[in-house]
Amino acid sequence: MDRVRETNRLIEDYCRRHRGFDFLDTHPLMLGADGLPLPHIYLADQLHMNGHGYAIWAKAVKPYLK
């Protein structure tokens, strides 16, 4: 989780410093109140998302699409 947070921080910083980029942080949307990934949005391998996970992404990304 620390690596994910650091990677997101670096990407967000890059986007802020360069024109033409927006940063959409979906990571918090994928976490429960305990700060851990929501288990019901992943396939059995706990790596790849299922339809519930992609629905979260779709809702977050839709406002950015033209």
Side-chain angles (χ1 to χ4, degrees):
M1 293 294 284
D2 289 338
R3 292 175 101 182
V4 170
R5 287 185 183 99
E6 177 63 10
T7 300
N8 282 343
R9 187 193 67 73
L10 291 169
I11 295 168
E12 182 177 15
D13 182 58
Y14 179 90
C15 291
R16 285 189 175 150
R17 290 184 289 114
H18 294 84
R19 299 182 84 203
F21 290 97
D22 287 320
F23 178 75
L24 175 58
D25 189 2
T26 60
H27 188 247
L29 303 175
M30 315 303 277
L31 305 176
D34 58 2
L36 297 175
L38 297 167
H40 74 279
I41 65 171
Y42 294 97
L43 298 176
D45 66 7
Q46 293 297 303
L47 176 63
H48 298 95
M49 291 189 303
N50 61 27
H52 297 289
Y54 285 109
I56 292 170
W57 275 14
K59 185 177 179 182
V61 170
K62 188 174 183 177
Y64 288 83
L65 301 177
K66 295 180 182 179

